[in-house]
Amino acid sequence: MSDITQAFAAPAYWQQFEDLTVGVARVVFGDPAPQKVGRQGQSQGGLDVLLTAEDGRTIGIQCKRRDGLDQENRPKVGGVITREILAQAIKDVETHPAKLDLFILATTAKPDSNIQNDAAVISNDRRKAGKFAVMTWSWGDYDAALNRDDRLQNDYYRTVAQGLTAAERDTLMLGLFAEAFLRPAFRDRLSCEHPDNFKRAIEDTQRVLATGELVDREGRRLRRLAGGLRTLSDAGLRSGMETVSARLDDFRATLVNAERVGKVSQQSDWFMFHDGDIQDELEAARREVVTSLNLVLSQGGLALLPER
């Protein structure tokens, strides 16, 4: 099922763009508190935002601005990046005292494959020389981050986010739930599942239902709509998703208990079932979870998931 996405307008002023960049950096790199650098409208050592990613990398971002000012003497948001502009930005950043692992030149312009390729070549050469890597962000990267994180939408685009009707928000939430269930853990036979990956997938799906946060196998956030199933405004949809959640909880509890009493074990990278009845019971319980979800998706007017 494809995501239901919105297209957002770029900020009118550079300062707003810098504020938004701080929020996007938080979402993309997992730093809870990216730092602005320098005075308003003036970067320090070529940087506007400095942060530490979840993996420990130090990352600096320059928000491209135009030379011109608006009627209130504020710098305007920047446009297209050229190879020359990127080269100058890198030169400026190299004077910054922070030891960067990655530098990002961000703009509100549309994605440009030419400059992205240029940045990749430059970055590869720099890494070979032991220098920080380089990449560019276009407005498409901001759009993607905004569609991944409900908090970011609310922080920077309250008018857009609050403009959704209750029914539209319910549809977004159901789409998120459906995406969470599009995993091999709900399609492949249990005997073909890697136990650790399978259990993690179940836990991650329970997390989506409870919090509205979807992560991948490595724990990286993919999308977020704050609140989970309890925020569904339609009582029928909410009740239906509570049933889905309860059945998923029951399925997990049955699996855990079967392992505890020795009916299921792990053999290398696979589940081993020592009782044919328990395998059939688990397969049926898992189908009931997906069937319950499909009833809710049908009620909400969304496409159904395949059932085994």
Side-chain angles (χ1 to χ4, degrees), residues 35-253:
Q35 298 297 309
K36 290 186 181 180
V37 181
R39 303 190 304 274
Q40 178 173 334
Q42 181 179 17
S43 62
Q44 177 178 305
L47 295 181
D48 298 303
V49 180
L50 191 63
L51 64 129
T52 301
E54 285 182 314
D55 58 12
R57 289 180 299 163
T58 299
I59 300 173
I61 305 175
Q62 183 185 121
C63 304
K64 185 180 181 297
R65 63 183 65 71
R66 294 176 185 159
D67 293 333
L69 303 176
D70 65 19
Q71 64 272 21
E72 296 182 25
N73 207 38
R74 294 179 294 187
K76 296 181 179 180
V77 177
V80 175
I81 295 173
T82 64
R83 187 181 180 89
E84 292 72 26
I85 290 173
L86 178 58
Q88 183 60 52
I90 295 171
K91 182 178 179 181
D92 293 341
V93 170
E94 287 178 328
T95 67
H96 196 278
K99 183 174 176 57
L100 296 183
D101 297 296
L102 173 64
F103 167 62
I104 300 172
L105 181 55
T107 181
T108 57
K110 295 179 180 180
D112 184 336
S113 59
N114 291 326
I115 194 61
Q116 289 172 337
N117 292 337
D118 287 342
V121 171
I122 293 171
S123 187
N124 186 56
D125 291 341
R126 291 182 61 83
R127 280 197 297 264
K128 290 179 180 178
K131 300 179 180 180
F132 58 74
V134 175
M135 68 182 301
T136 61
W137 276 358
S138 69
W139 186 246
D141 296 297
Y142 286 80
D143 249 344
L146 284 160
N147 276 288
R148 280 170 53 188
D149 194 86
D150 191 49
R151 172 183 162 190
L152 190 62
Q153 290 186 26
N154 285 322
D155 284 350
Y156 296 100
Y157 287 91
R158 289 182 176 87
T159 301
V160 174
Q162 294 176 4
L164 292 175
T165 66
E168 288 170 337
R169 182 172 172 79
D170 282 356
T171 298
L172 286 173
M173 188 67 76
L174 291 181
L176 179 67
F177 295 155
E179 184 177 352
F181 278 86
L182 283 174
R183 305 172 186 259
F186 295 98
R187 297 195 309 268
D188 298 344
R189 290 190 60 81
L190 291 172
S191 57
C192 298
E193 290 289 343
H194 185 289
D196 292 337
N197 291 343
F198 180 80
K199 293 173 186 177
R200 177 63 183 271
I202 298 300
E203 291 173 5
D204 288 345
T205 305
Q206 290 176 307
R207 176 181 178 178
V208 175
L209 298 178
T211 68
E213 183 174 64
L214 176 65
V215 298
D216 64 13
R217 182 176 294 179
E218 284 71 41
R220 295 171 298 202
R221 178 185 292 169
L222 299 176
R223 293 181 61 201
R224 178 177 181 271
L225 289 172
L229 66 85
R230 70 180 184 276
T231 63
L232 289 167
S233 62
D234 185 285
L237 297 177
R238 188 168 60 253
S239 176
M241 288 309 306
E242 288 171 350
T243 298
V244 173
S245 181
R247 288 184 173 174
L248 183 59
D249 292 345
D250 289 344
F251 168 80
R252 183 182 177 189

